[in-house]
């Protein structure tokens, strides 16, 4: 692949470092490879769990980069979670000549078979394996997978050198972890390549037209739509760990609820120490982004950090573990993922 003329779109959520990866791609291309590059990110609130999209453009020394708008037809689409594989908004603009780089526990060929795509090149990396075992950052793992999709082995050392320069004087320990993550991401990405001679758009970008404009916007710019998080699910932003609730240790002090930024904990009326009280039922993992603030603040260790998997959730309290396990996330979040 000719990396000097590329449009890259990275779909992620806040807290995973997609914005930084966009910057590294752009700055390395401009400073180390001598090609024209631009990058920026688009997002709503700067909050862990919120959608983030990074846009990167590469052009050779003879072509200027004139657009400063989001990438609509990416040559490389990067998905930080495999459930996004069936999110049409995330897939918007991909063509038969695009490469899809995805964080998934499934081999690239299995993803192709599930999606029934005869075209597109697919690159898959199981980031969860290295996040939980080696505490490696997901964004650097994904950077390694992106470099794999560029099909140029010389780029690995170029980008590793750039990351070394970034961290060498500030945090040598972080530098070593980041370099290791890039290398492991590059080496362990599975590949299923399909070359198409014809460029056909598979998912047309949606054109959103607001129902409000200058003539009918309510006074003061008030948005009358009711806020509703009933369908929200921010579990995609977790990095492999969740708070495990141990009810017999809980004193129902409510500190976990007061420190939680996403109102994860559920309560019911009951009795504690022969007195009427609100009883903590534990976290609802659909709304938990894995920040583990509740673990830090709990005075009785009724909440502990636990690796996220089906077994660790099977004995949990609060939300039904059947619908909050990784099995649910992989199959049903945004109607995406792959069936086991």
């Amino acid at each position: 692949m000719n990396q000097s003329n590329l449009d890259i779109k990275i779909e992620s959520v806040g807290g995973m470092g997609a914005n930084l990866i966009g910057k590294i791609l752009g700055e390395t291309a401009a400073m180390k490879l001598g090609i024209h590059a631009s990058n920026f990110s688009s997002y709503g609130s700067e909050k862990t769990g919120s959608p983030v999209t990074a846009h990167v453009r590469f052009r050779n020394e003879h072509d200027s980069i004139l657009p400063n708008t989001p990438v609509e037809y990416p040559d490389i689409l990067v998905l930080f979670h495999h459930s996004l594989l069936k999110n049409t908004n995330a897939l918007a603009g991909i063509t038969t000549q695009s490469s899809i780089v995805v964080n998934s526990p499934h081999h690239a060929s299995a993803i192709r078979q599930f999606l029934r795509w005869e075209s597109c090149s697919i690159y898959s990396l199981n980031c969860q394996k290295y996040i939980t075992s080696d505490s490696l950052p997901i964004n650097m793992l994904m950077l390694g997978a992106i470099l794999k999709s560029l099909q140029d082995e010389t780029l690995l050392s170029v980008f590793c050198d750039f990351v070394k320069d970034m961290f060498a004087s500030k945090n040598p320990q972080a530098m070593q972890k980041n370099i290791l993550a890039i290398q492991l991401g590059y080496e362990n990405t599975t590949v299923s390549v399909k070359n198409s001679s014809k460029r056909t758009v598979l998912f047309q970008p949606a054109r959103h037209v607001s129902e409000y404009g200058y003539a009918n916007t309510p006074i003061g710019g008030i948005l009358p739509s009711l806020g509703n998080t009933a369908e929200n699910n921010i579990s995609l932003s977790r990095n492999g760990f969740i708070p495990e609730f141990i009810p017999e240790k809980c004193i129902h002090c409510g500190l976990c609820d007061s420190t939680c930024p996403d109102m994860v904990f559920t309560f019911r009326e009951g009795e504690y120490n022969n007195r009427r009280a609100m009883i903590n039922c534990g976290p609802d993992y659909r709304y938990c982004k894995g920040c583990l603030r509740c673990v830090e603040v709990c005075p009785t260790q009724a909440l502990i950090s636990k690796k996220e998997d089906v077994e660790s959730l099977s004995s949990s309290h609060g939300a039904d573990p059947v619908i909050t396990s990784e099995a649910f996330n992989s199959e049903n979040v945004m109607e995406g993922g792959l069936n086991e």
Side-chain angles (χ1 to χ4, degrees):
M1 181 176 291
N2 181 9
Q3 69 271 10
S4 62
N5 287 281
L6 285 177
D7 287 349
I8 303 173
K9 185 170 73 167
I10 305 173
E11 294 282 355
S12 181
V13 293
M16 288 188 171
N19 180 46
L20 177 60
I21 293 306
K23 290 182 178 179
I24 291 175
L25 285 169
E27 292 183 19
T28 306
M31 298 171 64
K32 300 289 186 180
L33 301 178
I35 61 178
H36 294 156
S38 70
N39 74 275
F40 68 93
S41 295
S42 57
Y43 41 80
S45 59
E46 294 190 56
K47 177 184 178 185
T48 299
S50 301
V52 174
T53 305
H55 308 272
V56 184
R57 289 183 171 92
F58 295 163
R59 297 292 183 271
N60 61 41
E61 63 272 18
H62 304 297
D63 295 330
S64 300
I65 300 179
L66 298 179
N68 57 1
T69 54
V71 170
E72 282 195 308
Y73 299 98
D75 298 297
I76 299 177
L77 174 65
V78 184
L79 305 175
F80 267 54
H81 196 279
H82 63 185
S83 64
L84 296 173
L85 282 167
K86 290 194 69 178
N87 183 326
T88 54
N89 288 328
L91 297 176
I94 64 168
T95 74
T96 51
Q97 295 180 341
S98 297
S99 293
I100 314 298
V101 181
V102 58
N103 165 25
S104 173
H106 304 278
H107 193 281
S109 58
I111 294 174
R112 181 183 302 285
Q113 183 177 5
F114 173 77
L115 296 174
R116 298 176 183 175
W117 287 354
E118 296 302 324
S119 55
C120 290
S121 294
I122 299 175
Y123 298 81
S124 176
L125 174 65
N126 185 6
C127 294
Q128 196 78 359
K129 174 182 176 180
Y130 304 103
I131 291 171
T132 54
S133 62
D134 302 310
S135 300
L136 297 178
I138 183 173
N139 58 342
M140 295 299 173
L141 289 164
M142 290 300 289
L143 176 57
I146 295 170
L147 296 179
K148 185 80 169 185
S149 73
L150 294 174
Q151 301 179 17
D152 186 343
E153 293 183 5
T154 62
L155 293 179
L156 180 62
S157 60
V158 173
F159 278 83
C160 285
D161 288 343
F162 185 85
V163 172
K164 285 178 183 178
D165 294 340
M166 284 181 61
F167 290 94
S169 59
K170 299 177 182 178
N171 192 332
Q173 186 175 2
M175 177 197 71
Q176 294 174 359
K177 271 198 168 186
N178 287 330
I179 297 300
L180 176 62
I182 295 171
Q183 292 171 339
L184 286 175
Y186 185 91
E187 294 166 1
N188 293 280
T189 295
T190 61
V191 180
S192 179
V193 174
K194 291 282 185 178
N195 296 315
S196 176
S197 58
K198 185 178 179 182
R199 183 180 175 91
T200 304
V201 178
L202 299 177
F203 295 89
Q204 285 289 349
R207 303 295 179 182
H208 299 287
V209 179
S210 174
E211 60 181 298
Y212 295 107
Y214 75 93
N216 63 343
T217 298
I219 295 175
I222 297 171
L223 296 178
S225 302
L226 297 177
N228 187 351
T229 60
E231 298 300 323
N232 186 32
N233 190 320
I234 61 174
S235 60
L236 274 68
S237 62
R238 294 202 287 264
N239 286 325
F241 295 90
I242 57 167
E244 175 74 3
F245 182 54
I246 307 173
E248 56 270 21
K249 291 186 177 182
C250 183
I251 60 174
H252 310 287
C253 62
L255 285 175
C256 56
D257 184 54
S258 61
T259 196
C260 178
D262 295 293
M263 302 180 70
V264 166
F265 289 88
T266 56
F267 291 80
R268 61 173 174 80
E269 290 188 9
E271 188 176 282
Y272 179 68
N273 283 345
N274 300 319
R275 301 179 69 175
R276 185 181 176 186
M278 294 301 293
I279 302 301
N280 191 350
C281 299
D284 184 336
Y285 293 106
R286 290 173 297 175
Y287 309 109
C288 176
K289 62 192 177 190
C291 67
L292 301 181
R293 293 183 187 178
C294 56
V295 173
E296 296 175 5
V297 78
C298 181
T300 61
Q301 292 188 315
L303 289 159
I304 59 174
S305 174
K306 194 94 176 203
K307 179 182 176 182
E308 180 176 10
D309 52 33
V310 175
E311 288 73 22
S312 68
L313 286 166
S314 62
S315 61
S316 64
H317 301 264
D320 186 348
V322 173
I323 65 168
T324 57
S325 67
E326 176 61 26
F328 169 77
N329 293 333
S330 63
E331 294 178 20
N332 296 307
V333 175
M334 298 190 224
E335 299 181 352
L338 300 178
N339 293 316
E340 298 290 348

